[in-house]
């Protein structure tokens, strides 16, 4: 429920407003002085404040200024209530000053009930929208953090901080799963466009027949979707106008599409499919690839002129195997993220498990580590501490080798067979996201048979 603070030196007005607003299901607190009002705002959360200009111990406009703090009128701090000024001696000068100080509106006494309720409802909507935006920005910042204390990651963060405020195009190199999208989002979050849209397109995930309309949109039903398609569609270039366009896996675009992207970058305009007039855009383009584009150029698979247009500011995201000192930090970060998601925020991870993680070569990079942490949490719902034994055998042993790289020896054929079966079952459970029924179907076993096999092999769904 919405909490409203009424500040007025007249007890009758406070009582009248309180009675009316309680009927509208608001939670009401009242104050008769400036001092009391500021103490209440400091100690509790309010969505809106009805504040009289004339108070016995101070000016209501000074109270307004203190409630808003050092926030600019358009961008108050998170949790700052919307303030509606009320006065029986209103002047244009007072109203103008109140607006400059960030007041939501200005009401004159005697108050109109309908107008007061309308302004209050709109003020609360404005408060809620602002808080939603603060939360979105907070989540975006969290998702855009480039984690790691290794030398390569510290250097990468410094490069982002230096280059993000510019409008130069960026080309990010790195293996799949290394965190190229995270770097792109961090660049956007640190840029002058941070308050504008971030639009992403995975070029490898769009079929060739559709990628042009995904990039540039279409008009008058000219897209490839058939007679039932919408009349028009805005492409990613158009949607990113004023913000950032992230083209992931740009090395997978066809030469035909590359030519059209090159022209759009050069002219900062393009023609949607079926359009007779161009669309002008101002979007910062960040591209990423897991390919060696210079090698692709030599093979004739990538345009050299597009490469130079995109490669104004090159970034390289190192693979996880080259920064293993970051693994404990990343593992704990993912454990906290998934622990909160699954209602287990206090799960820890042992030093032995972290050592095991550091010994694995991580061909899938950070994405693989994140998936492993989620899998371990799901498959061990009662564990309060993740131990080395909880880790997948894929992490503990690869191609018959132990995690430290030495070949693991088995004293009997039975031990080798059981180790292989355990690995195979764990991989299938991982593919089925821990669903034993689906894993049993995929393995061609009865569900009860798989449970018995898991118990015999020490494959536990929880400790």
């Amino acid at each position: 429920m919405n909490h409203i603070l009424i500040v007025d030196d007249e007890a009758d007005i406070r009582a009248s407003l309180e009675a009316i607003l309680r009927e509208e299901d608001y939670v009401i607190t009242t104050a008769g002085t400036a001092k009391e009002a500021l103490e209440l705002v400091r100690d509790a959360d309010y969505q809106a404040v009805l504040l009289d200009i004339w108070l016995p111990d101070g000016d209501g406009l000074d109270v307004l200024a203190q409630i808003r703090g050092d926030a600019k009128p358009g961008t108050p701090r998170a949790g700052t209530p919307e303030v509606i000024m009320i006065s029986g001696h209103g002047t244009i000068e007072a109203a103008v000053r109140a607006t400059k100080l960030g007041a939501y509106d200005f009401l004159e006494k005697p108050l109109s009930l309908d107008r007061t309720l309308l302004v209050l409802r709109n003020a609360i909507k404005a408060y809620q929208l602002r808080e939603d935006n603060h939360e979105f920005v907070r989540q975006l910042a969290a998702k855009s953090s480039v984690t790691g204390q290794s030398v390569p990651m510290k250097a990468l963060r410094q490069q982002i901080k230096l280059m993000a405020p510019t409008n130069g195009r960026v080309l990010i190199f790195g293996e799949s799963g290394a965190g190229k999208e995270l770097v792109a989002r961090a660049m956007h979050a640190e840029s002058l466009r941070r308050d504008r849209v971030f639009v992403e397109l995975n070029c490898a995930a769009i079929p060739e027949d559709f990628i042009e309309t995904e990039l540039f949109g279409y008009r008058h039903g000219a897209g490839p979707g058939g007679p039932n398609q919408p009349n028009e569609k805005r492409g990613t270039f158009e949607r990113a106008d004023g913000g950032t366009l992230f083209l992931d896996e740009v090395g997978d675009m066809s030469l035909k599409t590359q030519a059209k992207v090159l022209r759009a970058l050069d002219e900062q305009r393009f023609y949607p499919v079926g359009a007779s007039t161009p669309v002008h855009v101002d979007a910062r383009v960040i591209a990423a690839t897991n390919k060696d584009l210079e090698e692709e150029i030599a093979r004739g698979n990538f345009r050299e002129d597009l490469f130079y247009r995109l490669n104004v500011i090159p970034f390289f995201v190192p693979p996880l195997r080259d920064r293993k000192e970051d693994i404990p930090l990343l593992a704990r970060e993912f454990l906290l993220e998934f622990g909160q998601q699954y209602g287990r925020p206090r799960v820890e991870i042992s030093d032995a498990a972290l050592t095991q993680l550091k010994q694995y070569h991580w061909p899938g990079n950070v994405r693989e580590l994140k998936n492993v942490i989620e899998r371990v949490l799901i498959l061990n719902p009662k564990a309060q501490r993740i131990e080395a034994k909880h880790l997948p055998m894929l992490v503990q042993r690869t191609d018959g080798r132990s995690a430290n790289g030495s070949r693991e020896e088995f004293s009997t054929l039975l031990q080798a067979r059981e180790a292989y079966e355990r690995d195979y079952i764990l991989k299938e459970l991982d593919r089925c996201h821990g669903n034993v029924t689906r894993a049993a179907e995929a393995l061609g076993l009865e569900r009860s048979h798989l449970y018995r096999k898991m118990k015999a092999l020490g494959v536990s769904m929880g400790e």
Side-chain angles (χ1 to χ4, degrees):
M1 296 183 70
N2 295 307
H3 197 175
I4 311 300
L5 175 62
I6 300 170
V7 185
D8 198 295
D9 62 334
E10 297 182 50
D12 290 344
I13 291 180
R14 293 199 305 270
S16 178
L17 280 173
E18 180 176 6
I20 292 169
L21 296 181
R22 286 191 187 279
E23 287 292 323
E24 298 292 324
D25 290 330
Y26 293 115
V27 177
I28 305 299
T29 300
T30 64
T33 65
K35 180 181 179 182
E36 186 181 3
L38 291 171
E39 289 175 349
L40 288 169
V41 170
R42 185 179 62 247
D43 296 337
D45 294 326
Y46 300 93
Q47 282 67 55
V49 178
L50 289 165
L51 176 60
D52 192 10
I53 285 185
W54 301 100
L55 297 171
D57 59 339
D59 188 336
L61 292 175
D62 292 335
V63 175
L64 167 63
Q66 292 187 60
I67 290 175
R68 302 285 295 194
D70 57 0
K72 297 178 183 179
T75 55
R77 299 183 304 271
T80 301
E82 294 292 348
V83 180
I84 302 165
M85 302 303 299
I86 55 179
S87 175
H89 309 280
T91 64
I92 294 177
E93 181 183 358
V96 169
R97 186 182 168 203
T99 301
K100 288 182 176 180
L101 289 171
Y104 180 80
D105 210 332
F106 192 96
L107 300 176
E108 291 189 57
K109 296 178 181 178
L111 298 175
S112 163
L113 176 59
D114 290 340
R115 174 162 168 73
T116 300
L117 291 176
L118 176 62
V119 170
L120 187 57
R121 282 195 295 267
N122 290 339
I124 291 172
K125 287 180 182 178
Y127 172 88
Q128 291 169 342
L129 286 172
R130 176 162 45 82
E131 292 304 295
D132 289 344
N133 184 62
H134 279 300
E135 178 62 17
F136 172 77
V137 171
R138 187 194 66 77
Q139 291 179 2
L140 180 62
K143 290 181 179 179
S144 302
S145 60
V146 178
T147 302
Q149 293 303 316
S150 61
V151 172
M153 295 310 289
K154 288 180 178 179
L156 186 61
R157 282 198 298 273
Q158 183 63 31
Q159 188 181 9
I160 291 171
K161 185 176 181 180
L162 182 65
M163 300 299 181
T166 72
N167 277 318
R169 297 187 190 114
V170 175
L171 183 55
I172 306 171
F173 300 90
E175 296 179 5
S176 293
K180 298 187 293 296
E181 180 187 350
L182 202 62
V183 172
R185 289 186 177 277
M187 288 286 293
H188 176 72
E190 295 270 354
S191 75
L192 301 178
R193 301 169 183 256
R194 67 177 69 91
D195 295 327
R196 306 301 295 273
V197 68
F198 178 92
V199 180
E200 176 186 0
L201 179 68
N202 188 326
C203 301
I206 308 297
E208 175 62 24
D209 292 341
F210 290 89
I211 192 164
E212 184 177 350
T213 56
E214 286 295 324
L215 284 166
F216 306 115
Y218 57 80
R219 299 290 188 268
H220 313 303
N228 295 323
Q229 67 186 358
N231 189 49
E232 66 176 48
K233 175 179 179 178
R234 298 169 68 230
T236 51
F237 264 96
E238 189 173 354
R239 288 190 286 117
D241 187 27
T244 300
L245 173 59
F246 175 48
L247 299 176
D248 198 9
E249 303 305 348
V250 72
D252 289 276
M253 286 194 303
S254 69
L255 290 171
K256 176 184 175 183
T257 304
Q258 291 174 34
K260 295 184 177 182
V261 169
L262 174 64
R263 183 174 180 180
L265 294 177
D266 281 344
E267 299 180 0
Q268 291 192 310
R269 67 173 189 166
F270 58 88
Y271 286 85
V273 177
S276 57
T277 56
V279 174
H280 294 262
V281 293
D282 171 26
R284 183 184 194 179
V285 175
I286 299 177
T289 181
N290 61 4
K291 295 184 175 181
D292 184 336
L293 291 188
E294 292 184 334
E295 185 176 315
E296 293 298 305
I297 290 169
R299 292 176 178 175
N301 296 330
F302 200 83
R303 295 181 61 112
E304 186 174 18
D305 46 5
L306 178 58
F307 173 74
Y308 288 121
R309 297 297 192 286
L310 294 173
N311 195 35
V312 176
I313 305 174
F315 278 72
F316 176 72
V317 184
L320 189 56
R321 62 180 174 274
D322 290 346
R323 52 184 184 102
K324 288 192 172 182
E325 59 266 47
D326 292 333
I327 289 176
L329 183 63
L330 288 165
R332 290 190 174 99
E333 182 179 285
F334 296 145
L335 192 60
L336 177 61
E337 176 185 343
F338 290 119
Q340 292 174 337
Q341 181 177 329
Y342 296 118
R344 299 167 60 197
R346 292 185 175 83
V347 178
E348 299 178 350
I349 186 167
S350 70
D351 290 341
L354 291 173
T355 299
Q356 195 80 63
L357 292 175
K358 290 175 70 175
Q359 290 174 341
Y360 182 56
H361 61 286
W362 298 108
N365 290 295
V366 177
R367 185 185 297 126
E368 184 183 10
L369 173 61
K370 186 174 184 178
N371 291 342
V372 164
I373 296 298
E374 183 179 17
R375 177 199 320 169
V376 168
L377 205 63
I378 291 172
L379 295 181
N380 299 277
K382 297 181 181 178
Q384 295 300 311
R385 183 184 180 90
I386 302 303
E387 303 289 352
K389 65 180 180 179
H390 296 134
L391 300 177
M393 292 302 294
L394 182 65
V395 173
Q396 297 185 37
R397 182 174 58 252
T398 306
D399 296 331
R401 296 182 181 273
S402 64
N404 62 14
S406 62
R407 179 166 295 279
E408 186 161 349
E409 301 294 339
F410 300 104
S411 58
T412 66
L413 180 62
L414 177 62
Q415 286 183 358
R417 188 182 70 188
E418 287 181 346
Y420 178 82
E421 285 187 351
R422 190 174 190 275
D423 280 358
Y424 196 85
I425 289 172
L426 281 167
K427 289 177 184 178
E428 195 59 44
L429 284 167
D430 178 41
R431 192 181 70 81
C432 296
H433 304 289
N435 188 310
V436 178
T437 300
R438 287 174 52 198
E441 291 175 356
L443 293 167
L445 299 174
E446 293 291 334
R447 189 169 185 268
S448 58
H449 186 187
L450 178 56
Y451 267 118
R452 288 196 297 272
K453 178 72 72 172
M454 290 167 59
K455 184 176 181 180
L457 295 174
V459 179
S460 175
M461 294 297 294
E463 295 296 323

